[in-house]
Amino acid sequence: MGYIELDVIDDRQKKIVIGIDLGTTNSLPAIWMDDRPQILHVEGQPALVPSVVNFPESGPPIVGHEARARAVIDPTNTIFSIKRFMGRGLADLEVDTRTLPYAISENENGVVQIEVRGRKITPPEVSALILRKVCEQAEAAFENGEVVSAVITVPAYFDDPQRQATRDAARLAGIEVLRIVNEPTAASLAYGLDQKGAGTVAVYDLGGGTFDVSVLSIEEGVFQVLATSGDTQLGGDDFDRLLVDLARTELAGQLSPEELRDPAFLQAARLAAEKCKLALSKDPEHDLHMSLPGSGLSWRRTITREEFEGLIAPLIQRSIDCCARSLADAELETSAVNEVVLVGGSTRVPAVRAAVEKFFGRKPHTELDPDQVVALGAAAQAQVLMGGTRDILLMDVTPLSLGIETVGGAVAKLIERNSTVPCSHTEGFTTYVDGQTAIDFRVLQGERELADDCRTLGRFKLTGLPAMPAGMPRIAVRFHIDADGVLTVTAKEKASGVESTIEVKPMHGLTDDEVEGMLQAGFDNAKEDFDARRAADLKAEIGIMLRAIEKNFDQAREHLDKETLDDLEEARVAAQAATEQDDLKPIQTARDRLEEASTPLAAILMDNVVKQAVSGKKLEDL
Ligand code: AMP
């Protein structure tokens, strides 16, 4: 057969490699077979696994369709939407936790754990159960196949801890991860756009709860994500909600406010709304029909497609605004986009397709099932990684800038946001205090200029530095992001070879909202941030100048006349006072004044250096 097999152990067992779309609601495996990616089927049905796990009173956990069916009767022991918890801490989940039917807490590492049947279980453990089930389905699709490796997809906005948590899940499920791939990247692979020399591709992904857009470029076989943007609170569920709101408004005369808030009413309204929405994707009008046997309610109202489109127009516009933003990030005009790919069930809504077509000025690809595109692309990527024929290289981008804290609380950015990964950047740093033998590094993520306004990803220490004068050690700090988006930071002192490294730990991650918020804050505070950063840099400079003056004050007393010395002393006091302030202007003035007042001292010191050099000493020895 043409599917990817590692080797044939005997006639009966085959090791297979698959692509997995590990989704919030559903997960789906696909495989490369007969020269194209294909969704795996079991008994004629796609091998789709609802991403739901139920923990029964006794016996092993139940995963998938059966677990989803049990959610109604056993909600406190049924876990759904685990993907939203991956790589997160409790603080990130404030909104989600209130609506959860089960208790959640945090372990000592800041990792969320869910309490079911007196047991605490982490998100990667739950995800591992889902992955295991997906593999079993894939194996059932073949006679005696065994899944050994997989390409697993994650949202483009997943940060490092979230990707790590996904890897952990695969490890727990006993699967080797060939690569973690961004969902939009997989989608464009599914369409084989790498083969067409497509140029620039936009991937528009509108699901039930979230929206993502990515701009990719394909050049000479290199596949690169140029920019990503999104909205975590935008999807088909919001379309349903607008129809529910319409029903509630029109039923206000018939039902009491309590009845309109009743969970049973709301659940029935949501189901009726979705049914009506699905029908409107193909019919010009459909009845929104609700009946509640308990209250004797039976209500019907015809909704035209036009009316529905009017309701959802502002939501569609929000997604289009995101598209505009990602193009601006990629510094591209809409006319530069050569192909548009649609992903997610909600892209079946004709008005969504029309809006996307209008914005990009071209017809989007709709040939593949928008719910299967990501899994198909994952299988295509697996085939490439297994040494298949498609000669492509995949690159993604970092959603936020990465850097370290420098003296005075400023941020030195080593990797700018939207940089292509894998990537590395090395920058030189030095010590700030004489005889310093250790340096603390704080690894940061965000767009702001001050460390405290960014998110701390981790801290580490470089110890064992030889005691040298301030400014002498040459410390190379290297940031490396691998193809899966995992960050490793290394600091090395060149002369002594002392080295320290961290792989950024899976502390809890950022919500997509926070990523958006941090980007926005970066824009909103650009001027203030610039000033704050400049002030921090100037204060650090003043600190260095003051220490140098103090160190050489004896020489100043010896060689400078009284007036110059008084002037220096005055400037010194003023500069010291300025470092207590936050306003840029007085700090700048004090620093300039200090520089001016210390120029005569600097001249004397330079003179001495030259004299000593002439008398046979090397500059470095001084
Ligand atoms: P996904 O998260 O990609 O599975 O997308 C699920 C969302 O797509 C849900 O909100 C569905 O109601 C919506 N959806 C699926 N099929 C259609 C359709 N034919 N027309 C409109 N919305 C749809």
Side-chain angles (χ1 to χ4, degrees):
M1 282 194 90
Y3 59 84
I4 307 168
E5 56 185 68
L6 289 180
D7 54 29
V8 180
I9 294 179
D10 58 39
D11 281 349
R12 289 169 301 126
Q13 207 188 27
K14 291 177 166 68
K15 294 191 172 188
I16 52 179
V17 178
I18 58 172
I20 301 175
D21 172 4
L22 182 58
T24 308
T25 321
N26 294 304
S27 297
L28 187 65
I31 198 162
W32 186 272
M33 193 158 58
D34 302 331
D35 291 330
R36 64 189 177 92
Q38 299 189 32
I39 293 299
L40 288 170
H41 286 73
V42 176
E43 291 165 9
Q45 294 296 318
L48 180 134
V49 175
S51 306
V52 184
V53 180
N54 171 263
F55 292 87
E57 200 169 348
S58 60
I62 297 164
V63 186
H65 292 286
E66 207 187 321
R68 192 170 59 187
R70 292 177 71 105
V72 192
I73 50 163
D74 190 15
T76 53
N77 298 304
T78 307
I79 299 176
F80 48 88
S81 292
I82 196 67
K83 188 168 168 180
R84 291 184 186 272
F85 299 171
M86 294 286 276
R88 301 273 173 95
L90 266 190
D92 301 316
L93 299 174
E94 210 189 309
V95 183
D96 295 342
T97 50
R98 283 180 305 202
T99 53
L100 291 175
Y102 35 76
I104 67 171
S105 54
E106 200 173 59
N107 70 13
E108 63 282 3
N109 297 324
V111 171
V112 163
Q113 44 192 6
I114 295 155
E115 291 169 33
V116 253
R117 297 212 184 272
R119 219 190 115 196
K120 289 180 175 162
I121 183 163
T122 62
E125 289 174 274
V126 178
S127 261
L129 292 167
I130 296 164
L131 281 172
R132 199 57 256 152
K133 179 77 177 184
V134 171
C135 289
E136 282 166 20
Q137 288 289 93
E139 285 161 1
F142 289 95
E143 247 176 68
N144 304 308
E146 184 201 355
V147 173
V148 286
S149 335
V151 164
I152 301 176
T153 59
V154 295
Y157 269 127
F158 254 30
D159 66 6
D160 185 63
Q162 292 171 298
R163 284 165 202 264
Q164 292 271 23
T166 307
R167 282 189 159 271
D168 290 347
R171 193 168 40 83
L172 291 171
I175 310 163
E176 183 210 358
V177 178
L178 282 177
R179 174 82 53 97
I180 302 278
V181 173
N182 283 346
E183 288 158 11
T185 306
S188 49
L189 270 174
Y191 277 106
L193 298 180
D194 54 304
Q195 306 280 283
K196 292 173 66 182
T200 305
V201 182
V203 181
Y204 177 103
D205 179 351
L206 188 62
T210 59
F211 171 68
D212 274 300
V213 58
S214 300
V215 182
L216 318 155
S217 93
I218 308 169
E219 258 172 58
E220 293 171 18
V222 176
F223 216 114
Q224 187 178 351
V225 181
L226 300 178
T228 62
S229 182
D231 188 331
T232 46
Q233 310 293 331
L234 180 60
D237 300 347
D238 300 300
F239 297 177
D240 303 344
R241 203 166 302 124
L242 289 173
L243 288 175
V244 170
D245 288 347
L246 181 142
R248 294 178 77 201
T249 309
E250 298 199 0
L251 278 166
Q254 287 183 47
L255 297 176
S256 69
E258 291 72 40
E259 284 171 314
L260 287 171
R261 272 198 303 270
D262 182 59
F265 167 79
L266 287 173
Q267 178 64 5
R270 261 194 297 269
L271 289 176
E274 188 181 15
K275 206 169 155 208
C276 177
K277 173 187 76 174
L278 299 187
L280 286 172
S281 285
K282 48 180 194 344
D283 303 330
E285 59 176 52
H286 196 82
D287 280 0
L288 177 55
H289 176 220
M290 286 174 59
S291 60
L292 268 183
S295 65
L297 172 82
S298 180
W299 179 78
R300 188 181 289 275
R301 152 85 145 80
T302 302
I303 310 277
T304 64
R305 189 188 276 181
E306 200 182 348
E307 184 180 12
F308 176 62
E309 288 177 353
L311 285 176
I312 63 173
L315 297 180
I316 298 178
Q317 188 53 42
R318 257 166 63 195
S319 76
I320 296 296
D321 292 344
C322 278
C323 294
R325 200 156 80 218
S326 70
L327 280 180
D329 275 352
E331 295 179 2
L332 291 173
E333 302 285 331
T334 43
S335 57
V337 175
N338 308 105
E339 308 264 358
V340 181
V341 171
L342 297 185
V343 181
S346 298
T347 61
R348 293 196 182 95
V349 174
V352 168
R353 293 189 176 184
V356 172
E357 182 174 342
K358 183 160 173 249
F359 176 76
F360 287 103
R362 64 187 57 248
K363 265 210 168 339
H365 280 282
T366 52
E367 304 90 297
L368 296 172
D369 182 329
D371 287 322
Q372 299 185 346
V373 183
V374 170
L376 292 170
Q381 176 64 8
Q383 193 259 358
V384 171
L385 293 170
M386 292 307 295
T389 51
R390 286 154 65 126
D391 186 19
I392 59 162
L393 223 151
L394 263 189
M395 295 191 191
D396 289 333
V397 295
T398 55
L400 293 166
S401 302
L402 295 160
I404 58 167
E405 180 178 11
T406 62
V407 175
V411 182
K413 284 182 188 160
L414 275 89
I415 293 180
E416 294 285 337
R417 90 186 182 91
N418 278 340
S419 296
T420 306
V421 297
C423 64
S424 297
H425 186 78
T426 306
E427 208 153 288
F429 293 89
T430 187
T431 51
Y432 175 57
V433 180
D434 284 342
Q436 192 174 339
T437 57
I439 304 178
D440 286 311
F441 288 97
R442 182 172 164 201
V443 182
L444 300 160
Q445 184 179 40
E447 302 316 304
R448 304 288 297 271
E449 297 284 350
L450 292 185
D452 287 344
D453 295 329
C454 290
R455 173 171 185 255
T456 302
L457 284 180
R459 292 172 191 270
F460 71 110
K461 219 180 173 94
L462 179 63
T463 52
L465 294 173
M468 285 192 256
M472 289 300 283
R474 293 279 164 264
I475 296 145
V477 176
R478 179 171 186 265
F479 273 46
H480 174 75
I481 305 184
D482 69 15
D484 295 331
V486 176
L487 170 69
T488 308
V489 183
T490 310
K492 184 174 181 178
E493 202 286 308
K494 284 187 176 160
S496 59
V498 175
E499 189 176 318
S500 179
T501 291
I502 61 163
E503 186 164 300
V504 170
K505 289 228 178 68
M507 297 196 306
H508 46 265
L510 286 177
T511 62
D512 293 354
D513 271 356
E514 277 173 312
V515 172
E516 282 290 300
M518 286 165 87
L519 288 179
Q520 198 53 46
F523 296 131
D524 293 347
N525 297 294
K527 162 85 173 84
E528 275 162 40
D529 271 12
F530 180 81
D531 287 357
R533 182 187 170 129
R534 181 83 189 116
D537 285 347
L538 286 172
K539 283 188 201 177
E541 252 181 72
I542 290 175
I544 292 168
M545 286 159 82
L546 286 175
R547 267 191 301 283
I549 294 167
E550 199 174 315
K551 206 167 137 193
N552 296 292
F553 212 70
D554 286 348
Q555 295 206 52
R557 258 193 227 103
E558 197 181 319
H559 298 287
L560 296 179
D561 61 50
K562 180 163 183 322
E563 199 183 327
T564 316
L565 197 61
D566 287 350
D567 189 41
L568 178 60
E569 184 57 23
E570 226 174 81
R572 195 162 77 137
V573 172
Q576 186 66 56
T579 59
E580 310 292 321
Q581 302 216 19
D582 289 325
D583 277 359
L584 176 62
K585 212 141 185 210
I587 301 171
Q588 175 87 55
T589 310
R591 183 235 162 255
D592 293 350
R593 166 109 210 274
L594 185 65
E595 186 176 34
E596 200 186 320
S598 61
T599 307
L601 174 62
I604 292 164
L605 295 175
M606 278 311 292
D607 204 28
N608 285 347
V609 168
V610 174
K611 274 188 204 141
Q612 300 210 30
V614 173
S615 67
K617 276 189 170 176
K618 283 190 292 188
L619 256 181
E620 298 91 276
D621 300 333
L622 294 172

